[in-house]
Amino acid sequence: MLWHQKKTEDILEQLVSSSVGLSSEDALRRLKEYGPNELKEKKKRPALMMFLDQFRDFMILVLIAAAVISGIIGELSDTIAIVVIVVINAAIGFIQEYRAEKAMASLRKMSTPVATVLRDGVHTNISASKIVPGDIVLLDAGKFVPADMRVLETTQLRIEEAALTGESVPVEKHIRPLDDGMLSLGDRKNMAYKGTMVSYGRGSGIVVTTGMNTELGKIATMLQEEEEVKTPLQKRLSGFGQKLALAVLGICAIVFGVGIIRGEQPLLMFLTAISLAVAAIPEALPAVVTISLALGAKKLVKQNALIRKLPAVETLGSVTYICSDKSGTLTQNRMSVEEMYIDGRIVGVDPRVYPKEKGEHMGSPLQIFFTALALNNDAQIDKGGNIIGDPTEIALFAIAREYGFNKSELEINLPRVSEIPFDSERKCMTTFHKIHDAGFMIQDEKNNTSDILHRASFVSFTKGAIEVLIDKSESILKNGGIAMLDREEVHKVNERMAADGLRVLGIAMRGWDELPSEMSHENVEKGLTIIGLAGIMDPPREEAKEAVLMCRRAGIVPVMITGDHPITAWAVARRVGIIAEDDIHFNTITGKELEKLSFREFEDRVENIKVYARVAPEQKLKIVKALQDKGQFIAMTGDGVNDAPALKRADIGIAMGITGTDVAKEASHMILLDDNFATIVRAIKEGRKIYDNIRKFIKYLLTTNSGEIWTLFLAPLIGLPIPLLPIHILWINLMTDGLPALALSVEPAESDVMKRPPRNPKESVFAHGLGYHAIWVGLLMAGIVLFVQSWAVKTGNSHWQTMVFTVLCLTQLGHVLAIRSEKESLFKIGLFSNKPLLGAVLISFGFQMATIYIPFLNQIFKTQPLSFNELMFTIAASSIVFFAVEGEKFFKRRLVKA
């Protein structure tokens, strides 16, 4: 129902209500018919089921199987380690999901508990849940709107709708019907919506919808219906775990079969195969991923990005589109004067260029202009020194103060004695001031001084929309004095400033010998002299332009989605670099235009659109879905209730920490503590680094496991005895998949991390040669190990198994040092640039030496002490892998340069 198009009397008739409200009996009947004015929640899953669901992932099931097998073969330490890892991961997943369920609870809190209604013709305070369609509700400053309603009466009623529509300033309400049926919520200025707040004035309205039928209720429905999408990491690891587990089980079966055929003992081959399976299953992977994400989250908090859901850290690295709100994220979230039209010219804001002359209140159009801005203003300074009041008035107050014109000082000689308040009908505000000093003196071109108000006793200042003020004015103030008003020139100036996205206000004056007896705007606001124009906007953040440029270099497309006016949106987008000067009309769309497009038509255009203005909540969701259907990964920012469904649906929802509602925060994956677009870009850099490090770990893990599998698989085929005992396999698994693997998570970012395009969201974990690397380096490891084994066996060396055991362990430690960077040499990035990894390698080396040279460990690990020459030989053989991988990177660098 398009209530904003109807006349108030028609709505009263349709809802069978009247100006004195409903009767108590009628209200009770309607409450039974429509139900309570509350937001309903879908049935929640029990907490226990939520926890158990965390164990359904294939990778987790494989780990549980590995834990059981480890327990069966007596490796209780492995069993305990795997169980701890699985439980910790389940607990983290449970906490994140439980938090997400709080989004609806936060939404419910926005329903005001008490409202004042007319029942039986009497003002009555009732629970907001008992409000029904047809109720007449009274609205006062500071109160929440309890239901969706059509405004019936208004006295300077302004409602703060930012949480619902994204409108950055309070909206002035009126009672006139609106003809356009396609108006967005922000433009329906005769409506008041549930969950918004009255910031000024008073009024009344008739309730048209309640509960889940309100605009807030529609958002609640979308929030409940919208499922979160899996992160890229979750998708990749799920597929990786399944493939790896199946491959490992197949190879283990082959190893077992080949051993039996060669005549090995069945029990030994069974334990070897099981040990190989346990070693090859990456039980450390969830721990490394969790630790990497947790460390990244800790670092991001210091950079003003609070991570609510750990996988979001890595998701940032996959982002291809950032759909950002305008107010407060790309802009400073405060209105300020950007340009002024004074003395026949447009000037920028710079107090250093136009300093106030000491001892003079008047003397130039500029000084009179700032005096008027300061005095025709209801903004005040609180005890903490902050300016409080209407955002527009704060901007005018602040610029006057910045130029040295303080309201409190000016009021000594020009005290306010009367006023006609602002209202939305005439779009003006007038204040009267008693003149106590010498008057308004101004110099002409010949330096002659005259009082432009001709010794008047009072002066009135009128501030308002310039298109209205022009009709009320006859003259304009210039440096030589008062001149005839050239309306066409002022219109052109207004159009020029408005085209830059500025909201243009005019300020005018008039002298009075005495206060008018009839203090009405018809009598007072005429025959005015325009002093100047002020162009106001919420200016872009200084760092936003650089952040947008960095996005473009990184192959990320920044998009602005706002509830603000299209011209304002275009101006900000142009200034921060989201769109170019000649792209404006091609790359922008309004909510009204978007409504007319089918989803298929919109999908065809979505990747070309860079600015969305005046959009509705469901349209934000539509934008996210359309981009995701195109294979894009979306970061969506938002602060309002209206943003919550889109935040939940986005690959990463980013809520504002300062201006954000609890609903938006609960639905988000990440919270910006400083509401700054540049912080998102810094977080993306961290996300890319973390994914790079996880890939390095997977590369390391696959290669080491590949080396072990090839060694055990090929040895029997070439006639060699089984080279390793089950305890050797499990020890290598513990040493190499332990500390060194974890230390890779703190590897610094690659130098080109923000100079390359986002990775394809659909790309495999094995992309960019990772799989080939694991195969050829694994084969090289196995080749070196089997060469050492073959040589030692043929020469009759009784220590051959200890040498094989040591070579396989040390080759993996050399490999982890070589893969720290995808391209750069270890000698360039330096051994000490990742001190935890260096420490981990040294500790692992020390433990390996302990298994060789400590007598009681010799008995446990079935090893013998190596001679100095044997040890040097094993170290030299192990280093081949390190230099081979360094050589691979060298040739890659040469190919790039070529």
Side-chain angles (χ1 to χ4, degrees), residues 41 44-45 50 96-105:
E41 295 184 67
K44 291 183 179 179
R45 280 188 303 160
M50 210 180 290
Q96 290 168 358
E97 196 168 339
Y98 185 73
R99 280 179 176 173
E101 294 293 326
K102 289 183 180 178
M104 270 304 300

Side-chain angles (χ1 to χ4, degrees), residues 4-20:
H4 65 279
Q5 290 185 287
K6 296 179 177 293
K7 295 180 180 178
T8 54
E9 52 267 29
D10 293 340
I11 294 175
L12 286 167
E13 183 180 344
Q14 185 172 341
L15 293 173
V16 194
S17 184
S18 69
S19 58
V20 295

Side-chain angles (χ1 to χ4, degrees), residues 86 264 424:
V86 167
E264 299 285 351
S424 59

Side-chain angles (χ1 to χ4, degrees), residues 818-861:
I819 62 165
R820 281 184 51 197
S821 172
E822 292 279 348
K823 298 175 183 174
E824 300 298 336
S825 167
L826 176 67
F827 303 107
K828 181 176 180 181
I829 62 177
L831 269 173
F832 295 96
S833 56
N834 187 346
K835 292 177 182 176
L837 179 60
L838 179 61
V841 168
L842 292 175
I843 290 169
S844 296
F845 179 82
F847 278 132
Q848 180 62 24
M849 293 302 101
T851 65
I852 300 173
Y853 294 108
I854 294 177
F856 85 89
L857 291 179
N858 290 151
Q859 297 175 9
I860 296 172
F861 287 94

Side-chain angles (χ1 to χ4, degrees), residues 178-197:
L178 300 166
D179 296 330
D180 193 344
M182 300 292 290
L183 286 177
S184 64
L185 295 184
D187 289 323
R188 297 178 188 180
K189 297 187 177 180
N190 57 9
M191 298 290 296
Y193 294 104
K194 182 179 178 70
T196 59
M197 191 183 76

